């Protein structure tokens, strides 16, 4: 949820675009690109998880829908 809030601007994170950005894909609008994947930080650790959870989303999800998708993904584990 923290990454979702950062991406949506609900949580202030200066220079977010130096770490991660949304893909330009119309088919996968929630796909994130990690700017510095070789750095061992929050973003390089969470972006692959985010992308695996949101890989089949045809639109950017609302907070409620994202929470539901996250809960479904956790329950599958």
């Amino acid at each position: 949820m923290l990454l979702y809030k950062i991406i949506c601007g609900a949580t202030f994170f200066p220079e977010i675009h130096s770490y991660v950005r949304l893909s330009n894909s119309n088919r996968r609008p929630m796909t994130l690109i990690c700017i510095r994947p070789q750095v061992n930080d929050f973003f390089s650790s969470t972006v692959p998880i985010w992308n695996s959870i949101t890989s089949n989303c045809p639109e950017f999800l609302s907070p409620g829908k994202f929470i539901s998708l996250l809960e479904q993904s956790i329950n599958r584990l």
Side-chain angles (χ1 to χ4, degrees):
M1 276 310 300
L2 178 60
L3 183 56
Y4 183 90
K5 288 179 180 181
I6 291 170
I7 298 301
C8 291
T11 297
F12 179 69
F13 191 94
E15 304 298 326
I16 182 62
H17 299 298
S18 298
Y19 297 93
V20 67
R21 69 177 175 84
L22 284 169
S23 167
N24 293 330
S25 173
N26 290 331
R27 292 176 30 200
R28 295 173 132 188
M30 290 194 74
T31 299
L32 294 178
I33 297 171
C34 188
I35 304 299
R36 302 181 310 181
Q38 69 280 5
V39 177
N40 189 18
D41 63 7
F42 172 77
F43 298 103
S44 64
S45 299
T46 56
V47 165
I49 298 166
W50 169 285
N51 286 338
S52 69
I53 291 171
T54 62
S55 64
N56 295 320
C57 295
E59 62 188 17
F60 200 89
L61 300 177
S62 67
K65 288 182 180 180
F66 182 76
I67 289 170
S68 293
L69 179 63
L70 188 58
E71 287 173 347
Q72 290 171 7
S73 298
I74 290 169
N75 288 334
R76 279 186 271 161
L77 297 174

